[in-house]
Amino acid sequence: MKPLYWIPLLPLLGFVLNGAVALASSSRRARRGEGGERLPYGERLFHGIVGVGSVGAATVLAFGALVPWSEQAFAGRALPVVETAFTWMFAGDFSVAVAFRLDALSALMLSFVTFVGTLIHLYSVGYMQEEEGYGRYFAFLNLFMFAMLTLVLGANLPVLFIGWEGVGLCSYLLIGYYYDKDFAAAAGKKAFVVNRVGDVGFVLGIFGVLALFGTTDFSFLEAAKQQVLSGSAPLSVYAVCLLLFLGACGKSAQVPLYVWLPDAMAGPTPVSALIHAATMVTAGVYLVARTSALFVLAPDALTLVAWVGAGTAVFAASIGLAQNDIKKVLAYSTVSQLGYMFLACGVGAFAAGMFHVFTHSFFKACLFLGSGSVIHALHHEQDMRKMGGLAPRLPQTFRTMLIATLAIAGIVPFAGFFSKDQILGSVAAGGHPALYVVGVATAAMTAFYMFRLIRMTFAGEFRGTHEQEHHLHESPATMTVPLWILAAGSVLSGFIWVPMGVSNLLPRFLAPALAEMPEHHMSHGAELGLMALSLGAALAGIALAVRWYTGRPAPEHAAHRPAEEIVVSPAAAAFCGKTGLLGALVKNKWNVDEGIEAGVLGPFRGIGRVLWKGVDALVIDGIANASAFLVELAGDLLRFFTTGNVRNYALGFTLGALVLVAYVLFF
Amino acid sequence: MSPLPGIAPMSVPPAAFLAAGTILFVIGLIGALLKRNALSIFLSIELMMNAVNLLFLTWGRMRGDASSHVIVFFVIAIAAAEAAVGLAVFVALFRARQTIEVDRVNLLKW
C-alpha cells in the first residue's frame, strides 16, 4: 500500500505550485498596471489542472488505501493502520510523531472529504473562471485539502490539531477571498476570532488528555475503553470532555459559537460548499466521535452535548425560516444540521452522528453548489426576492437542488431521511422525549425553509431585472456534472444504513472505532411509527411552504406591498414578516450578534478602556513620567553645586579627602 | 629603631620630620583654598606636594623601605610636567581675560 502521508502531501504540492504561479502572475500584472480582468487561458488551464489534479490524485490514493482496508474490515480482520513519517518532538518519555492513522472513522471521513473535495474543485473551474484571483483561490483550496486530510488522518491529537488550525486558516483566507470588500474581510476575521475561543478549549483538552493518559496518541482511547486512567478522577474526565467539546463547538458552529458560520458566506460559493458545509465544519463532530471512548466515561458531558446540539438545531432552523439571502438560508440550515449530529453524539449514537455527517456532505454540498449555479446565472444576485421562475431556465440546477432538498427535508428514500431517522430513532430509544420533540420540530422547520427556498427561487415568475433575465443561462458542464454526481450521492448515500436490519453496513464498519454504548432496541412497530411521525412533520413543513410561497404576488396586495413581502402569501407575511415579536426576532436572528456585542464585546471593550486609560496611561506612563520628573528635579537642585568657582571645587575635594581619611581611620 | 646596615642612625627624631611635613602640607592646603591668584594657588599646591614628599621619605626611612624614594622621584617628575602645563594654561588665560584671578574666571556654572 502507498504510504498514507502522500494523501495530504499531494494537495500541499498543488498548493505550492499554484501559489508560486499565482504570485508570479499577480506581481507581473501589478508591474504592468493590469488587473481586474480574468486570467489568460494558459494560466487558468494550469491552475485548473494542478488544483483539480492534485486533489484528484489524492482521492485515487485515498480510495486505493481505504477500499482494500474496508474489505478487510468487513471481513473482521482489519486493524487500524498507523504510518509514522517522523518524530516531531520529544521531551523525556513524551514524544509526538507525525503519524497517520487509517481506521474505520478516518476511512469514512477520508472517503467523502476527498470525493466531495474533488467535485467541488472541478465545479470551481467553471464557477471561478471570471475571477482575477483564480490562482490564489486554487492555491488556498489545495491548502485546505491538505489541512483537512491531515486532520482526518492524524494519528494523535497534536497532528489532528495541526490540521484543525490549518483548516481554520484556510477558512479565514477563503472567507476573505474578496478582501477588497469590507464585509468579507470582517467575516473572515470574525470566523478566526470565534474559532480561537473554541481552540483554547481544544488545546487545554489535549493537555488534559496528556495528563490523564500520558500520551496524545489515539491509543489512549483503548485505555479509556478499559477505563485505565493514570490519575483517575472522574471530574478531570468531565473537564477534558467539556474542553474538547468547546473546541468542537467552535469549529462546528454550535450555540453559542455558531455566529461566524452565517457570516462565512461572504466567501465564494464553492468554498461555502466545501469548507462551511460538507467538510470542515463536521470536524467537531469527528472529534467528538473520535474521542467517544472518553465521552462515554462522562455521561453528563454527553447530556450537555445532546442539549447543545438540539438547541442549536432548533434555534438555527428558526433563523433560517426568515432569511432572504439564498446562501444564508443554507448557512443556518448547516448550523441546524450540525446540531442534529451533536444531538446524535450526545445520546451516544455516534455512528448515527457520523452517518448524518456523511449524507449531509452530499446533499448540502449539492445545495450550495446549486445555489452557486443560480447566483452565477444571475450575476451575483443572492436575494431570493429577486429570483423566481428559474426552473425552466436552469433545469439541471433545479432538478439536482430539488433532489438535495428532498434529501435534507428527510423524505424517503433520500439519504437525509435515513440518517435523520437514525438520529431521531436513537434519541427516542434512548429515552429522551424532550430532545425527540425538539428534533421532530426541527425536521418540520427544515422541510419548511428548504421548500421556501426552492419555491422562492424556482417557482412562479422571474422578479429580477430584464438585463438579468436576458443573460440567464444554465451553468457549464464543469458545474452541472458535479451537481449531478452529488445529487446521486444525496439519493444513494443513505442506503448504507437502512433501519430494521435491512442494511447495517455503516454501524458494522464503524463499531471498532467508536465507543460501545448500550443499545436500545425498539419494536418494528414503534420504529415505523417514529418514521411516520418524522416523515409527517417533514411533509407538513413542505405543504405549508408550497402553500405560502406561491412565487406570484398575491393579487389583492400586489400594488402597494413592499418588495420584501411580494412573494409570500398574506399568511406567510404575518408569520415571517416584520410584524409580531417572533417574526421580528427571527428576522433579526434573535439579536444574538447584538447581544454578543453588548454582553461580551462591550465588557471587553470596557476592560480594554480601563487598561488603556487607567493602567497604561496612568500607571505605566505615570511611572515613566515620575522617574523622569525626579531626575529632572534632582538635577535642578544639584546643579547649584556647579558654581563655576574653582576654589569651591577645591574645597569639595578637600572635604571629600577628609571624609575618606576619616573612613579609613575610624571605620 | 633598626636602621638598615650601612645607614647612620637618625640624630633628629622622625617625629620632627613628620611634624614639619604636616605643617607644610596644611600651610599649602590653606593657601590653595584661600588664595585667589592662580599662581599663588599653584605655588601652594607645589608646597603640598613637597610636604608629602618629605612625609614619604620619613616613613620610608622609619620602615627601612627604599621604595618611598621611587615614589618621590615620580612625584617630582610629574610635578615638573604639571608646572609646565599649568603655567602654559595661566599664560593663555591671561591673554584671554587679562587676569588670573580664579574668582573672576567662573563662566562655566549652573
Side-chain angles (χ1 to χ4, degrees):
Chain A
M1 187 165 64
K2 291 261 185 207
L4 285 175
Y5 45 79
W6 277 106
I7 298 171
L9 269 186
L10 281 172
L12 184 66
L13 200 66
F15 159 70
V16 172
L17 283 176
N18 272 328
V21 170
L23 264 184
S25 160
S26 77
S27 67
R28 189 174 63 239
R29 287 153 73 86
R31 255 204 320 280
R32 291 188 192 154
E34 297 169 3
E37 67 276 337
R38 56 149 82 177
L39 294 179
Y41 181 72
E43 279 183 36
R44 272 187 293 141
L45 193 66
F46 174 84
H47 291 308
I49 288 174
V50 171
V52 181
S54 62
V55 176
T59 307
V60 171
L61 274 186
F63 276 85
L66 72 88
V67 168
W69 190 88
S70 305
E71 281 168 1
Q72 295 279 313
F74 280 119
R77 275 173 298 161
L79 290 170
V81 178
V82 177
E83 287 182 6
T84 305
F86 56 89
T87 303
W88 177 15
M89 50 184 162
F90 58 93
D93 53 359
F94 165 72
S95 79
V96 174
V98 173
F100 297 108
R101 175 189 178 104
L102 184 67
D103 62 2
L105 206 51
S106 57
L108 180 73
M109 291 293 285
L110 194 60
S111 63
F112 75 81
V113 166
T114 53
F115 183 71
V116 175
T118 308
L119 290 178
I120 292 174
H121 275 70
L122 188 63
Y123 177 94
S124 303
V125 170
Y127 186 83
M128 299 297 288
Q129 60 184 348
E130 306 294 330
E131 299 285 339
E132 196 195 350
Y134 196 74
R136 178 165 57 94
Y137 173 83
F138 273 104
F140 290 160
L141 217 54
N142 279 172
L143 185 63
F144 168 78
M145 288 304 290
F146 160 71
M148 188 70 206
L149 291 170
T150 309
L151 192 165
V152 167
L153 286 171
N156 51 47
L157 285 171
V159 173
L160 190 154
F161 185 68
I162 292 298
W164 185 277
E165 290 303 305
V167 291
L169 168 69
C170 295
S171 165
Y172 163 77
L173 291 171
L174 285 164
I175 295 169
Y177 173 79
Y178 299 108
Y179 57 82
D180 51 350
K181 295 199 171 70
D182 279 345
F183 69 90
K189 207 158 51 181
K190 184 172 178 182
F192 208 74
V193 170
V194 174
N195 266 298
R196 291 283 79 65
V197 178
D199 289 348
V200 170
F202 188 21
V203 171
L204 292 177
I206 294 176
F207 291 150
V209 167
L210 187 62
L212 280 177
F213 298 98
T215 176
T216 56
D217 191 273
F218 286 143
S219 57
F220 80 80
L221 295 167
E222 296 302 319
K225 274 183 187 167
Q226 283 135 31
Q227 309 202 8
V228 193
L229 301 173
S230 54
S232 62
L235 201 61
S236 55
V237 179
Y238 277 98
V240 169
C241 286
L242 291 180
L243 288 169
L244 290 176
F245 180 56
L246 180 62
C249 276
K251 194 58 86 194
S252 288
Q254 295 298 291
V255 167
L257 298 179
Y258 75 94
V259 287
W260 65 272
L261 188 55
D263 285 25
M265 298 303 127
T269 307
V271 168
S272 308
L274 178 61
I275 302 183
H276 305 120
T279 60
M280 183 188 84
V281 289
T282 62
V285 187
Y286 170 71
L287 179 68
V288 172
R290 174 59 89 188
T291 54
S292 55
L294 200 57
F295 273 90
V296 294
L297 296 181
D300 290 347
L302 271 182
T303 307
L304 180 76
V305 172
W307 276 104
V308 168
T312 306
V314 69
F315 179 75
S318 76
I319 301 176
L321 295 176
Q323 294 297 308
N324 286 321
D325 183 319
I326 186 166
K327 284 181 73 181
K328 285 279 166 68
V329 176
L330 293 176
Y332 282 107
S333 150
T334 305
V335 176
S336 171
Q337 299 299 310
L338 289 166
Y340 263 121
M341 298 167 200
F342 279 107
L343 170 60
C345 292
V347 298
F350 299 104
M354 289 309 293
F355 186 30
H356 202 53
V357 169
F358 185 69
T359 58
H360 176 258
S361 75
F362 290 101
F363 56 70
K364 188 49 68 64
C366 184
L367 285 169
F368 262 114
L369 295 187
S371 77
S373 180
V374 169
I375 294 165
H376 192 67
L378 292 175
H379 293 279
H380 300 287
E381 180 57 66
Q382 300 191 7
D383 192 336
M384 293 192 296
R385 289 169 302 198
K386 297 178 185 154
M387 296 178 182
L390 296 179
R393 313 294 183 88
L394 306 171
Q396 319 279 343
T397 308
F398 172 61
R399 283 174 207 153
T400 51
M401 273 188 89
L402 188 62
I403 291 171
T405 304
L406 287 169
I408 195 176
I411 301 302
V412 70
F414 297 93
F417 169 76
F418 294 111
S419 55
K420 202 174 284 186
D421 180 68
Q422 206 64 54
I423 293 173
L424 292 175
S426 307
V427 173
H432 308 280
L435 290 171
Y436 180 77
V437 170
V438 172
V440 171
T442 308
M445 287 155 87
T446 308
F448 175 81
Y449 66 66
M450 283 314 299
F451 268 85
R452 173 178 176 268
L453 180 150
I454 289 286
R455 294 287 282 178
M456 283 178 84
T457 308
F458 292 104
E461 302 149 10
F462 185 66
R463 297 180 298 272
T465 61
H466 286 293
E467 177 74 15
Q468 283 173 329
E469 189 167 14
H470 184 66
H471 286 111
L472 273 179
H473 58 278
E474 180 58 281
S475 301
T478 54
M479 291 166 68
T480 52
V481 169
L483 277 176
W484 275 110
I485 296 175
L486 288 169
S490 309
V491 181
L492 299 177
S493 62
F495 292 111
I496 55 177
W497 191 0
V498 180
M500 293 189 291
V502 178
S503 155
N504 57 356
L505 285 176
L506 188 76
R508 220 150 49 83
F509 182 64
L510 283 180
L514 297 173
E516 283 172 40
M517 284 291 278
E519 280 191 37
H520 306 279
H521 283 290
M522 284 188 297
S523 67
H524 283 190
E527 245 180 278
L528 277 175
L530 291 178
M531 266 187 236
L533 192 60
S534 59
L535 196 60
L539 287 174
I542 293 173
L544 198 62
V546 170
R547 192 177 149 69
W548 277 4
Y549 293 88
T550 59
R552 281 178 197 80
E556 70 272 31
H557 297 287
H560 51 273
R561 269 177 172 278
E564 166 179 11
E565 285 167 32
I566 208 156
V567 274
V568 302
S569 72
F575 177 70
C576 292
K578 285 203 165 131
T579 50
L581 182 63
L582 185 69
L585 274 177
V586 168
K587 257 276 185 305
N588 296 327
K589 304 176 243 170
W590 295 97
N591 293 320
V592 168
D593 279 332
E594 290 76 5
I596 289 175
E597 177 73 32
V600 180
L601 300 184
F604 269 105
R605 281 207 193 90
I607 293 169
R609 222 182 150 69
V610 167
L611 289 178
W612 168 35
K613 294 285 189 190
V615 175
D616 191 55
L618 280 182
V619 178
I620 309 277
D621 288 3
I623 289 171
N625 289 340
S627 56
F629 174 76
L630 279 179
V631 170
E632 193 183 343
L633 187 70
D636 273 348
L637 296 174
L638 292 175
R639 70 196 173 100
F640 293 110
F641 284 102
T642 311
T643 55
N645 190 331
V646 219
R647 297 194 301 139
N648 296 50
Y649 304 156
L651 185 63
F653 291 161
T654 311
L655 292 176
L658 282 177
V659 168
L660 275 181
V661 168
Y663 179 78
V664 170
L665 286 180
F666 302 116
F667 295 102
Chain B
M1 201 102 343
S2 58
L4 291 174
I7 294 178
M10 297 171 84
S11 51
V12 181
F17 288 93
L18 292 181
T22 307
I23 290 164
L24 280 176
F25 184 83
V26 172
I27 290 170
L29 183 64
I30 291 168
L33 288 178
L34 297 184
K35 297 301 279 186
R36 292 181 184 172
N37 188 303
L39 216 48
S40 304
I41 294 173
F42 202 62
L43 286 173
S44 304
I45 292 172
E46 291 295 323
L47 188 58
M48 286 162 73
M49 275 194 277
N50 282 313
V52 170
N53 280 347
L54 183 58
L55 290 174
F56 266 129
L57 288 172
T58 310
W59 279 315
R61 179 74 179 222
M62 285 164 68
R63 291 163 52 89
D65 183 354
S67 60
S68 60
H69 295 257
V70 179
I71 296 172
V72 167
F73 277 119
F74 272 110
V75 172
I76 290 169
I78 289 168
E82 184 223 339
V85 174
L87 290 172
V89 169
F90 297 149
V91 170
L93 181 64
F94 189 80
R95 283 186 182 157
R97 305 290 302 268
Q98 280 77 48
T99 177
I100 50 170
E101 290 279 301
V102 290
D103 283 8
R104 297 181 58 197
V105 186
N106 62 352
L107 282 178
L108 188 64
K109 62 179 172 187
W110 306 155

